[in-house]
Amino acid sequence: MGYVKSNHNTMGWPKPNISILFTTVSLFVVGIVVLVRVSGCEEKRSDAVLSTYLHLSVRRRRSIVRRFLGLRMAEEAVLGYLQNNDEINDSGEFAAERGIDHNEIVNVVKSLHGFRYVDAVDIKRETWVLTDEGNTYATLGSPEFQLILAIPPEGISRDELQKKLGPSVFKIACAQAAKNKWVEMGKQLISRKVQDVEDRVKNLLLQIQQGQGIGSDDIKALKARKLIVPQTWKGYSVKKGPNYAPKRKKVVTDLTRDNFQSGEWKEIEFKEYNYTAKGQPLEGGSLHPLLKVRAQIKQIFHCMGFEEMPTNNYVESSFWNFDSLFQPQQHPARDSHDTFFLEAPSTTKKLPEDYVQRVKQIHESGGYESRGYAYDWKREEANKNLLRTHTTAVSSRMLYQLAQKPFSPKKYFSIDRVFRNEAVDRTHLAEFHQIEGLVCDRGLTLCDLIGVLHDFFSRLGMTKLKFKPAYNPYTEPSMEIFSYHEGFKKWVEVGNSGMFRPEMLRPMGLPEDVQVIAWGLSLERPTMIMYGIDNIRDLFGHKVDLGLIKKNSICRLGIE
Ligand code: PHE
């Protein structure tokens, strides 16, 4: 059997195994609390540990106390022995001599080494352990021996013998007994050749079980029969370390008022600061990717001199959401299949009456060079409450307010939630977030819109843009915005835009030469592209993995 004392020098020893150290230390704490309580003196700080301990089942408590006492005994044995002796040569022998579980000695040595009470050097030994088959023979005897016992002096027929032993044992037993020349395999009968035999195999197995050494030929034979397998045994040789003391000192973590008053502070040993310890991961304060992208986009708008519009109302009237935007009352988007209408309160209470009249008129018969839609505009339809389907409802309210004062140019933006009664799929939910920007000034043209869009989208990292004519009831001309995606190698639709119609602006009271250019896009689309999410349900809603929210990367738009 090999006995190796490894050359690792003590300093090169791996750092103490933290998890073992932790369990050892926490077991100590629990143990100390138990003992402290038993001896009647109480410690305030131990109360939390004690209450945890008292919530455990009686069995768990017993096993903790047993383990604690075991570890304490093992620690006393190691430190006590080193007080009068230079070295523990072999932790295995040391444990066996004292009847202590070797694992406990190993744990204690690791922990003591961590605090440099002891220095330890690894010892590795190749040992042999019994296989399941080996264990069976160590108790029942080897098959060949069982065979001899089963043969009566007058011999026995093959069939009968097989019946007695069972086919598998019989097969092995015959082969081995024949090899040993123990039996005569006659045609009719099997009979003994020898009278007294010793079950050597069983004895060797028992020796191995008890940790005794056996000759190399025997090892070979037992290994060939798969009755034993090699196993590496690990232990230590242990010496006093630089911080050796016969008893572990209690190190103090906090300096208290009592320490000062009693003068103890002069003697107390303080626990060293661990500057490399990692802090606890923060549980709170993580931002959802949508919030990160929103913050960046807000910053872009602010850099461009835009003011944020107040979007704090999910519930809107049909009037502001549709009518004020010159969206006719028969428009399919105003159907309950597309829009969520409110049951309670189902209608709005207050609308600016004179403005309502002008809106009614522009829908019914036109004005300001428009022919209108020529239908019966119904107030009840305009009163219906709904969950806003776009943030353009907010833009409309803001432009109306602007029109009530002497005109001044404005740049406004909003980013908030909107709702649509849509079939949900990988890329659509019934709610999402819209980003909207508008510029209101005298003499604006489509070129201004295109220029602002280039400025805005290039700040998002989208430098190549294309525009396609489109239709919105409230803009003319209208353009869909496409951006070339270098990763996807194709043009992707990124937004919608246009110049607000005079039919929308003039009834509000804005001067005739004032134009408004505006655009809108979803917050989800760029966020999904940026964070590599291809199913919207992984980004928003109850199926979102909380890990995504804790671990997602920071967002810097426009920087590759
Ligand atoms: N309201 C439009 C939408 O919901 C976006 C848009 C805003 C279009 C402003 C033109 C002007 O898609």
Side-chain angles (χ1 to χ4, degrees), residues 103 114 169 285 472:
N103 288 329
V169 172
N472 295 307

Side-chain angles (χ1 to χ4, degrees), residues 389-390 392 420 434 436 472 474-475 496-498 500 518-520:
T389 64
H390 53 184
T392 316
R420 290 184 190 174
Q434 269 190 340
E436 185 154 326
N472 295 307
Y474 39 90
T475 53
N496 184 4
S497 67
F500 283 141
W519 72 99

Side-chain angles (χ1 to χ4, degrees), residues 327 390-392 420 432 434-438 446 449 453 456-457 465-483 492-500 517-522 525:
Q327 190 147 340
H390 53 184
T391 45
T392 316
R420 290 184 190 174
F432 66 102
Q434 269 190 340
I435 304 165
E436 185 154 326
L438 68 87
L446 193 66
L449 176 58
L453 291 176
F456 175 77
F457 280 97
L465 295 186
K466 257 197 205 176
F467 304 100
K468 191 175 137 187
Y471 172 78
N472 295 307
Y474 39 90
T475 53
E476 183 57 35
S478 313
M479 304 189 300
E480 274 172 2
I481 311 158
F482 289 80
S483 155
V492 214
E493 196 197 324
V494 291
N496 184 4
S497 67
M499 300 187 69
F500 283 141
I517 54 177
W519 72 99
L521 61 150
S522 92
R525 173 73 79 87

